[in-house]
Amino acid sequence: MRWLIVIIGTYVALEYFPYFDETHYVFKRLISASIIVLITWGLWNLSSGTSEVFKKINEYSDNKIDEILVPFLTKVLRFVIVAISISIIAQVFGYDVNGFVAGLGLGGLAFALAAQEVIKNLFGGVVIITEKPFTLGDWIMTPSVEGTVEDITFRSTAIRTFADSVVIIPNATLSNEPITNWSKMGKRQISYDLKISSHTPKEKLEHSIKQIRSYVENHPDIHPETIFVNFTRYETDSLNVMLYFFTKTTDWGDFLSIQEEINFKILEILSKENIKVAVPAQSLRVEEEGLVKRNPLKVKRVPSNKGEN
């Protein structure tokens, strides 16, 4: 608005200036172009990702705009705004834009052939945005990288790894890879095998399994839907007890604390029952059947260059 007042004030002032021809076509075109640039500037700011426009649309509309879509829409809108503004300014100064647009059709084929990878990445970005396998801030894992999604552009997606480095992956590569979105977990799995000494009596083993199962089922942080604590199989040097259940929380730190608490409780139960955890080991038995006679090594002398035998 300030610059609009400056442009209008300049135009009005020059109309009353006696030594300037305000009717000159260059001056009028400059004023028109200035107003177009001013409008473009305003639309550019309105299409910003931090603009109130997108916030108001999300507040008053049932169709919420996903966070990952806002940066993409911003770039598309700004490109369209600048392209239209340049074409209008060119028409104001008398240039024929129709011929330029027609020429784009001929050059488009050559451009497409020269920029195949760029176009692949562009369509890969469209696939990611439309299918929404993840959004900004999600923790994802692919065969290429694992980390938190920071940004998505026309060409690539930026992922910050847990080593605090940023990995840029082309959208064409990312859209063709299997993506695991850990942020979409409703619960987190705990699953492992507890190996009990094979010398453990049946009664003690059965009683300890019941205690462990009861503790897990009544734990406030364990999801009650799926809980398995069972004696599954015999192994060479142990009895295998499978534990399989889920925590209600998906937070990594809370998950580790709950897992540690359960492990300590299991050790306590086994200790009370005087049950030992099996440790994989190998024993080597050597039987001496007799002495081995050593024969002297026979060495054959090879004649040297001096003719020695």
Side-chain angles (χ1 to χ4, degrees):
M1 292 302 296
R2 292 175 182 174
W3 279 104
L4 181 61
I5 294 172
V6 170
I7 294 173
I8 294 175
T10 302
Y11 180 77
V12 173
L14 290 177
E15 279 190 344
Y16 291 94
F17 190 66
Y19 302 105
F20 185 81
D21 184 13
E22 73 280 357
T23 61
H24 195 277
Y25 75 96
V26 175
F27 174 69
K28 288 187 174 182
R29 289 175 178 177
L30 285 175
I31 293 295
S32 301
S34 300
I35 295 175
I36 294 170
V37 170
L38 194 62
I39 294 173
T40 303
W41 184 15
L43 293 175
W44 177 278
N45 291 331
L46 284 176
S47 61
S48 171
T50 58
S51 173
E52 292 292 328
V53 173
F54 294 105
K55 294 180 181 178
K56 295 298 181 183
I57 292 175
N58 277 340
E59 288 178 5
Y60 298 105
S61 174
D62 293 333
N63 299 322
K64 301 295 182 182
I65 301 178
D66 194 84
E67 291 182 359
I68 201 174
L69 194 58
V70 172
F72 198 85
L73 286 177
T74 296
K75 293 178 177 64
V76 172
L77 285 175
R78 286 184 167 181
F79 176 79
V80 172
I81 290 169
V82 172
I84 293 176
S85 299
I86 292 175
S87 64
I88 293 175
I89 292 174
Q91 287 180 342
V92 168
F93 282 94
Y95 292 97
D96 186 11
V97 184
N98 295 327
F100 174 72
V101 174
L104 289 178
L106 297 175
L109 179 60
F111 176 79
L113 294 175
Q116 292 183 24
E117 293 300 322
V118 176
I119 296 174
K120 286 181 181 178
N121 292 325
L122 175 61
F123 280 100
V126 173
V127 169
I128 291 173
I129 289 175
T130 54
E131 292 187 355
K132 296 180 182 179
F134 53 81
T135 186
L136 296 179
D138 280 359
W139 168 22
I140 67 170
M141 182 180 69
T142 72
S144 303
V145 68
E146 180 178 6
T148 304
V149 180
E150 281 203 344
D151 189 23
I152 178 170
T153 62
F154 289 104
R155 178 189 172 276
S156 60
T157 298
I159 299 176
R160 184 171 295 277
T161 66
F162 297 119
D164 205 30
S165 61
V166 177
V167 179
I168 307 298
I169 301 181
N171 289 331
T173 302
L174 191 60
S175 62
N176 289 323
E177 289 184 337
I179 300 172
T180 303
N181 191 335
W182 295 113
S183 296
K184 300 299 183 183
M185 288 188 301
K187 50 188 178 181
R188 188 183 285 273
Q189 174 185 303
I190 296 178
S191 177
Y192 58 91
D193 291 332
L194 181 62
K195 298 184 182 299
I196 304 298
S197 173
S198 57
H199 301 291
T200 304
K202 170 184 174 297
E203 294 78 12
K204 287 189 175 184
L205 179 61
E206 188 175 8
H207 186 58
S208 61
I209 290 176
K210 288 181 179 179
Q211 290 185 71
I212 295 172
R213 185 185 298 119
S214 176
Y215 174 75
V216 173
E217 289 176 347
N218 293 286
H219 198 288
D221 296 318
I222 298 301
H223 202 284
E225 183 178 346
T226 305
I227 297 175
F228 294 105
V229 180
N230 297 94
F231 173 35
T232 54
R233 63 182 179 272
Y234 295 94
E235 295 191 356
T236 306
D237 54 359
S238 65
L239 305 174
N240 193 83
V241 178
M242 182 194 72
L243 291 92
Y244 184 89
F245 46 90
F246 295 85
T247 61
K248 293 180 180 178
T249 180
T250 58
D251 181 77
W252 179 244
D254 295 339
F255 167 79
L256 292 177
S257 298
I258 295 169
Q259 190 175 35
E260 181 183 54
E261 178 185 346
I262 292 173
N263 288 338
F264 278 131
K265 184 63 178 180
I266 291 174
L267 285 178
E268 180 182 337
I269 292 173
L270 296 180
S271 178
K272 287 181 179 179
E273 295 293 332
N274 197 22
I275 295 177
K276 295 181 179 180
V277 177
V279 178
Q282 290 182 345
S283 60
L284 178 63
R285 187 178 63 183
V286 179
E287 296 181 357
E288 186 177 358
E289 297 181 354
L291 296 176
V292 179
K293 295 181 179 180
R294 295 184 179 179
N295 295 325
L297 180 63
K298 296 181 179 180
V299 179
K300 182 179 180 181
R301 293 175 60 84
V302 180
S304 64
N305 294 331
K306 294 182 181 180
E308 296 179 356
N309 293 326

